[in-house]
Amino acid sequence: MGMVVLTMKASVIEMFLVLLVTGIHSNKEMAKKIKRPKFTVPQINCDVKAGKIINPEFIVKCPAGCQDPKYHVYGTDIYASYSSVCGAAVHSGVLDNSGGKILVRKVAGQSGYKGSYSNGVQSLSLPRWRESFIILGETTKAYYLPFLPGTTIQPVTLIQGLAVTAAEDSHSTLPKPSPSEASATSSPRPRPVGHGSGETDLWSTTSYASGQNSPGANPGIQRPDSAGAAFQKPVGADVSLGEMELWKPGSALLDAGFVPKEELSTQSLEPVSQGDPNCRIDLSFLIDGSSSIGRRRFRIQKQFLTDVAQALDIGPAGPLMGVVQYGDNPATQFSLKTHMNSRDLKAAIEKITQRGGLSNAGRAISFVTKNFFSKVNGNRGGAPNVAVVLVDGWPTDKVEEASRLARESGINIFFITIEGAVENEKQYVVEPNFANKAVCRTNGFYSFNVQSWFGLHKTVQPLVKRVCDTDRLACSKTCFNSADLGFVIDGSSSVGTGNFRTVLQFVANLSKEFEISETDTRIGAVQYTYEQRLEFGFDKYNTKPDILNAIKRVGYWSGGTSTGAAINYALEQLFKKSKPNKRKLMILITDGRSYDDVRIPAMAAHHKGVITYAIGVAWAAQDELEVIATYPAKDHSFFVDEFDNLYKFVPRIIQNICTEFNSQPRN
């Protein structure tokens, strides 16, 4: 009996060995027949941003034409992940505009990114950003994908370079599969073509095998939380050798490891827009909330605001927008500083509810002039103030006086009249021709007449284009921010050191009243005796503190009094370099009669458009002051009996400057 058992065991063992040898031989024969497919590098579009690609290191192929400025790049050498990958490659010099393959590595976010112009690409500056990347170089490497048992072997296009897993990043050791699992599922370690076994492995093999080495893994289904899954194809996928695939946002199967931002909770990854710097305006919309407008048309009006907000690209470096709704009385819905991007602005507009009442647009314009464009409400001072008034039909109050005060305050008023009065309705209009009485200029640039509320959307783009054309916003220029102001200061011996310091204080007091910058009012100064000296030109200092310090540093010269020569010198050395869109103001201070003739130089100044104010002290000749001053002399010449009384004339001079400015023709 024992012998029989032993004989049976030997037969079973012999049969098992035969099957094992046969299986091994079959596997070897199959392996010989299998040719591993070759993969190519994925091609992406020029507008793909690094933040869209989840891999910490990857290879992509860029097409030609990525030098176009519409593909935004942020930073220099180290780029914010909100940048175009291919645009950054061109900017860095790794690629030219013909495209090519690049190796990209993600790095830590930076506290700031500095823009620069390089290789035909202008990169932009950006504040702190959470993730960055660098372009390591151009590459032509290709990779092999390991064979997946149970699938039909066909050539497959590689969509993205291999991912480096978190396990490799932390240098941890992965657990080895059991022998039975290894025999059933393991495959040879993939290697880049041409790499020796001793080279440093930059690419994760685990990313291939993660799906294979997991019990029950289905190679045809991608797990979005698995880096390796990004490289698996659906079972039976038929892709021809060498085929180049483009990443398509929103794809159900993320073949390339690209994850559309809409499918992830990544709103925080979107940078807060800094706004369009080419449209840096402070904008107020005065919307009609009267009862006559009705709910449906009020919704159309809100949609119009939403469309404008979207088109403007709201942000702290670009346009800011607030809304005032008016009926019987106006009320601020939100101010300039409430919402700093278009997305938040759109949400706020949606929440606006109709007030009802009359259409008192004039009262609304007064409200905006007095309250809306203030520093506490976010007015930036240097940005043009723009008010867009929407009215259904016609206002129920007068707008002319309120609009005049708004213009004098530097507010550019646009007027959009929707479904205006037809002929038999004009008898009910409170103020005929109200739009022309309200707008900044009556040249058609500031007015829109919309025949139907249902056509209001057609006004979005024309309006945005006009409000952003800051060079044509004529009412933004005020008497305080639109001049090149040159002081011509008598430094003769009769003035004396102490009085000269008093004159400089007078010059400083006048300068303080103006908004000083490179784009606003600029200040220059000339001192004269027999000779002349340029103390500083219009382009020397661009801030009020710098101007005041420069005035304080002017040294007393001492000498004779050649006022005529000084005027000619100022015309050549100061006002010849004045900007064409600036008002030219000359303020001349002297304490005596000139040794030379002033009539011809004064006439030359008048012909060149220089508005001259003549300030005489002590022994100055009144008749000479009137010759120097611009007509009418009573508004442009002043006489002071003592130097110590100069300060009293500062308010009057400023008032005359502004009155003259505001009296200019509106068209």
Side-chain angles (χ1 to χ4, degrees), residues 582-612:
K582 299 288 187 182
R583 295 175 70 234
K584 304 176 184 68
L585 299 178
M586 179 193 297
I587 297 181
L588 184 145
I589 307 115
T590 182
D591 81 325
R593 185 176 290 276
S594 176
Y595 292 169
D596 62 354
D597 181 70
V598 299
R599 288 173 296 179
I600 294 177
M603 190 179 297
H606 302 160
H607 287 167
K608 291 181 179 180
V610 178
I611 301 169
T612 306

Side-chain angles (χ1 to χ4, degrees), residues 34 37 59 104 273 298 343 383 407 429 443 498 545 582 608 616:
I34 294 172
I59 295 175
V104 181
S273 173
F298 189 75
R343 183 184 66 248
R407 290 192 300 272
V429 177
N443 55 9
K582 299 288 187 182
K608 291 181 179 180

Side-chain angles (χ1 to χ4, degrees), residues 482-486 522 538 571 574-587 605 607-613 630 660:
S482 59
D484 278 343
L485 173 57
R522 303 186 302 169
F538 292 136
L571 294 178
L574 271 181
F575 292 101
K576 196 171 184 179
K577 299 177 182 177
S578 182
K579 291 184 177 180
N581 63 336
K582 299 288 187 182
R583 295 175 70 234
K584 304 176 184 68
L585 299 178
M586 179 193 297
I587 297 181
H607 287 167
K608 291 181 179 180
V610 178
I611 301 169
T612 306
Y613 290 79
T630 296
E660 184 176 51

Side-chain angles (χ1 to χ4, degrees), residues 382-431:
N385 293 162
V386 179
V388 179
V389 184
L390 288 91
V391 65
D392 175 42
W394 56 87
T396 53
D397 65 347
K398 294 185 177 182
V399 300
E400 184 173 14
E401 181 61 20
S403 300
R404 183 186 65 80
L405 294 173
R407 290 192 300 272
E408 290 183 0
S409 300
I411 300 173
N412 296 272
I413 297 181
F414 287 76
F415 222 90
I416 302 177
T417 305
I418 307 103
E419 298 181 4
V422 294
E423 195 61 37
N424 62 350
E425 293 175 326
K426 289 183 179 179
Q427 58 181 317
Y428 304 113
V429 177
V430 175
E431 188 177 33

Side-chain angles (χ1 to χ4, degrees), residues 18 26 39 41 50 62 134 140 173 201 234 244 253 267 276 285 324 353 364 408 416 473 482 504 511 608-609 613 644:
V18 170
S26 298
F39 294 94
V41 174
C62 294
I134 56 176
T140 57
T173 304
D201 184 12
M244 299 302 296
L253 182 64
Q267 282 193 349
D276 181 2
F285 271 92
V324 170
T353 57
E408 290 183 0
I416 302 177
L473 297 180
S482 59
L504 292 183
S511 300
K608 291 181 179 180
Y613 290 79
D644 289 339

Side-chain angles (χ1 to χ4, degrees), residues 53-55 145 156-163 206-208 210-211 219 221-234 253-259:
I53 304 174
I54 61 175
N55 299 63
L145 187 70
V156 181
T157 302
L158 179 64
I159 302 303
Q160 185 172 343
L162 312 183
T206 311
S207 61
Y208 284 112
S210 60
I221 300 176
Q222 182 186 9
R223 293 173 52 194
D225 59 342
S226 168
F231 303 98
Q232 298 179 12
K233 285 284 182 181
L253 182 64
L254 307 182
D255 299 323
F258 294 113
V259 181

